[in-house]
Every structure is written in C-alpha cells, then in structure tokens.
Amino acid sequence: MPRPRSFSETDIAAAALAVIDHDGLAALSMRAVAVRLGLGTMSLYRYVSDREQLEGLVVDLVLSAVDTTPPPDLPWNEQLTVLVERARDAVAAHPQVVPLTLTHRHTSASVLRWAEAVLGVLTAAGFTGDRRAVALRCLLGHLIGSIQMDHLGPLSGAGTEAMARLSPEAHPLLAETAHGAREIGAGDEFRGGLHILLLGLRASLDEAAEAGPEVTNR
Amino acid sequence: MPRPRSFSETDIAAAALAVIDHDGLAALSMRAVAVRLGLGTMSLYRYVSDREQLEGLVVDLVLSAVDTTPPPDLPWNEQLTVLVERARDAVAAHPQVVPLTLTHRHTSASVLRWAEAVLGVLTAAGFTGDRRAVALRCLLGHLIGSIQMDHLGPLSGAGTEAMARLSPEAHPLLAETAHGAREIGAGDEFRGGLHILLLGLRASLDEAAEAGPEVTNR
DNA sequence: GTCCGTAGGCGTACGTCATACGCCTACGGA
DNA sequence: TCCGTAGGCGTATGACGTACGCCTACGGAC
C-alpha cells in the first residue's frame, strides 16, 4: 500500500461544507473544495468520483449529527416530536445545504437510521402495516416541507416581498395572514404544524381501533 | 412602436416547458429554448432578463393550470382535499419541473391565488389568526413534502435501491415498511397523509373551541 | 540499503454553460 | 420618404465539470 491517503472522506466533506457555509452553495465547486484542501483541482477526484458524490458526503456529514435514540419515559407523540425536531435542527444549522439535503436525502445512511428510529416509536405506539408507512411518510413530508418553506420561502426575501407587493386587494386573506405571520417564528409554525399532525395521528389510531382489531393492518 | 414582439411570455414558457418535458430538466438551457423558438441564443434575452426568470415563467405556466375555485356543497375538509389534490396533480403532470416548482414557488402569482383559496375555506371553517396561518403552512408543507418525496425519492430509483441494499438487519422496520410500501401507490400515501392531516386540523379546531371563544385567535 | 509497483497529485485541454457587448436591420409613426 | 426604436444575433469571456496522461512519493519485498 504505497502512498497513504492524506484525507478521509470526512475531511473532504468538512472542506466542502466549509466552502458552502462560508461562501454560499453557489460557490461550491470542485476547484473551490480542492483549494481549501490545498490540493490541485483534479486531485480531488482521487477521493470523489463525482461532484454528485461530493454533495452526498456533505449531506451525510450534516445529517450524521442527529441523535436518533428516542428519548425514554415520554409518550409516543412527544418522542416523535423530539425526533423530528432534532432532524430539523441539524439541517437548520446549515441553511445553505438545504437544497442538497433534499436531493441527496435518499442516499444518506443517516436518514435511514432516523427513519428506523421513527418507525420504532410508531410501532410501539401501535401503528402497523400501511398505516405505519403513511405515518412515517407524513412526518417526513412535514419535515421536508417545512425545511423547504423556511429556507427557500421567506428567508430568500423574494417570497415575502412578492407577497407584500401583490397582495393588497386581490389576496386579502393572504395579506392578513402574511402580516400576522411576521409575528410568529418559523420554529413556532413548524411546531404548531407538527402538533396538528400528531393530533391527526392519534385520531388515525383511534379510527383503526374503532374499525376493529382485525383490520388494524390497513 | 417599431418591431412588435414575435412571442408572448406564454410562448417562451411553453417552449421552455417543451424542452424540459422532451429532453429533461438537465437539457434546459438558454440555447435549447432559443433553438426551439427559432431564435438565436442572445435574442432570448430580449424576452427574459435571466435564466432565473425563464424558470419562473415555466413554473407559473405549470401552476396556472390549477383551478382554485373551491368545490361547493362539500364540508370544509373535503374542499381542502380537493384544492390540495388539484395542486398536486398540476405539478405531477410535469414531473421534471418539480425542482423548479420548489425553488420558484414563492414568485408565482398562481401559488398566491391557490393560497388565497385555501385560506378562504379555512376561514369559513372557523380558523382564524395564527391557527389559520399554521393550518395553511401545514397543508402547503404536506403538499411540498409529498411532491419532493414522490419525485426525488422512490422515483429516482436510487432511493429504493439504497434502502433495499442497506436494510436487511440494520434497519428491520424500514425494510419491512419499504417492502410493504411497494404495494401502496404514491397517490394513496399522499391521500392517506392528507387524511391524517385533516383529522389533526379538526382536532385542532376542537381544541380551540374547548379553550373558549376568547382565545380562538391563538 | 535497494528496488519497484501502486496510487496520490496535478497540468492541460475540451466542451458546455450563462451572459456582456455592440453591431445590423425591420418596422411603424411622422 | 425618413428616422428612431427595439428586435435579432455574432462574438467573446470566464466559470464550470471532468477526461487524459504525466510525474513522483511511498512502503513492502528482497
């Protein structure tokens, strides 16, 4: 084994993440990452076969930070709240990475770990079969949707501006809502939505019990 | 007024959409769109100041197709279901445009129209203030999340493959869920999730009523 | 201590992209 | 008939991802 590798995959990912955090997602390029590692552009290809794979490493680094052990001694809905919020926080720590997270989500082992943990809580709560799959999908959907809305919607400014400009009479309710929404933080909206979702999940569980145990697996 | 314009904004958007639908999102370039219009590359800039703006036109064209008049003579939750599903269907008709939809969502007048309609139904149902804002956000979040999951998750193949490969013993619940989920369609999952969400919204309304009318505006 | 094959490092080059700039020219009102 | 406006486009620039092929540093075998 001649010439040991100078960098680990984590080193590469950290360098790319540093580029993104420092100069924005648009500045992420093979050249920029190579420079940050003190490497020639093409040397980076000794570690990564592709820009695609580089992006995957970044996403995995960001998502590896989420703790997927469910908090004990809590009812299932609060356990789910904690798990979902942890995932949200991990992504929120690197706003610029959001678009990459959405694209590379399915290739990351960290996401699978998280999903497994959520499924564990759901199972313990009594969810099975398709109902459990839908519940997971629902939670993940809310998570992804919220991340999207927080970091590509109002944050980019264009959204709020466009809304404020077009709204006056054509969209009275929207204008009122947008105005009121300025008071309420993105985090509160996220938690409020999650609360509603969990109310729905509980109701869904009741529906299943009511229909009789023999069709619980629907 | 010398030299009338040869193309409308809709013509431009339609050309770009044609490129995307025919050759994929990656094939979308100023050159390709110009060629499809029988124009030189730089002439396109007479109509659009930017690639950004071009993408915005495409999104607005796709989203302009959704009918935002709530179906009458239905309970509010079914009205919401219809509105959300219409939006989903419009986007699903052009799978390749999904990433653009997510990025340019907030600049599209069609989205504002849709949001206004949803807010109308929510208001009639008794939602007000922050609770209404959260409800809207929740529905939009579910919509966006589902669109993401449908068209970047399993569809891309890599997701399901990676899951099937890594799952065996490390992620037993996930493996079971993924296996079972193959039977259930994306549409069913979307509707199932929406159903859960609406159960949650109803419960949230009950919560508000229970807390007393004087705090309804929370 | 010497040698050698492996694998790291990189310089160059290519094709594609968005787009700034400035030139021609078709047109419609005067 | 003429002219100014605005459409159309050729050229050029700089950034990007990455294919290719060359040097060279290293660590085990002898």
Side-chain angles (χ1 to χ4, degrees), chain B residues 7 21 28-29 44 54 75-76 79 102 105 111-112 159 161 163 165 168-169 176 183 186 196 200 207 212:
Chain B
F7 304 101
D21 282 342
L28 180 67
S29 71
L44 189 51
L54 177 67
W76 62 269
Q79 285 187 316
L102 299 171
R105 157 178 51 86
V111 172
L112 302 184
E161 273 180 40
M163 238 157 84
R165 229 181 310 108
E169 293 89 23
E176 185 188 330
E183 305 295 318
I196 289 175
E207 260 188 6

Side-chain angles (χ1 to χ4, degrees), chain A residues 1 16 63 95 112 122 142 166 169 198 207 209 213 215:
Chain A
M1 259 139 280
L63 261 41
L112 301 184
L122 285 171
H142 181 70
L166 292 177
E169 293 89 23
L198 290 169
E207 261 188 7
V215 289

Side-chain angles (χ1 to χ4, degrees), chain A residues 63-185:
Chain A
L63 261 41
S64 67
V66 349
D67 175 10
T68 56
T69 55
D73 305 324
L74 283 179
W76 62 269
N77 51 355
E78 294 183 29
Q79 285 187 316
L80 289 177
T81 301
V82 170
L83 282 177
V84 174
E85 288 193 340
R86 280 192 199 144
R88 187 187 122 100
D89 291 345
V91 175
H94 301 276
Q96 300 270 16
V97 189
V98 166
L100 297 187
T101 311
L102 299 172
T103 314
H104 296 273
R105 157 178 51 87
H106 41 70
T107 65
S108 162
S110 305
V111 172
L112 301 184
R113 227 181 58 233
W114 182 87
E116 184 73 15
V118 170
L119 283 173
V121 175
L122 285 171
T123 305
F127 287 89
T128 52
D130 288 359
R131 197 172 290 274
R132 187 177 59 192
V134 170
L136 170 64
R137 187 98 169 196
C138 219
L139 289 167
L140 190 50
H142 181 70
L143 177 62
I144 291 175
S146 296
I147 289 172
Q148 264 279 334
M149 304 206 38
D150 292 347
H151 297 286
L152 287 181
L155 185 134
S156 84
T160 320
E161 273 179 42
M163 238 158 85
R165 226 181 313 107
L166 292 177
S167 291
E169 293 89 23
H171 309 282
L173 294 172
L174 195 56
E176 185 189 329
T177 304
H179 189 75
R182 212 160 301 181
E183 305 296 318
I184 178 177

Side-chain angles (χ1 to χ4, degrees), chain B residues 91 111 118 126 185:
Chain B
V91 174
V111 172
V118 170

Side-chain angles (χ1 to χ4, degrees), chain A residues 1-4 29-31 41-42 45 50-51:
Chain A
M1 259 139 280
R3 215 48 200 286
S29 72
M30 303 303 275
R31 282 169 172 80
T41 307
M42 292 315 291
Y45 284 88
D50 221 316
R51 181 198 166 110

Side-chain angles (χ1 to χ4, degrees), chain B residues 1-4 28-31 41-42 45-46 50-51:
Chain B
M1 259 140 281
R3 214 52 199 284
L28 180 67
S29 71
M30 302 305 272
R31 282 169 173 78
T41 307
M42 291 314 291
Y45 284 88
R46 289 280 168 188
D50 222 317
R51 183 199 165 109

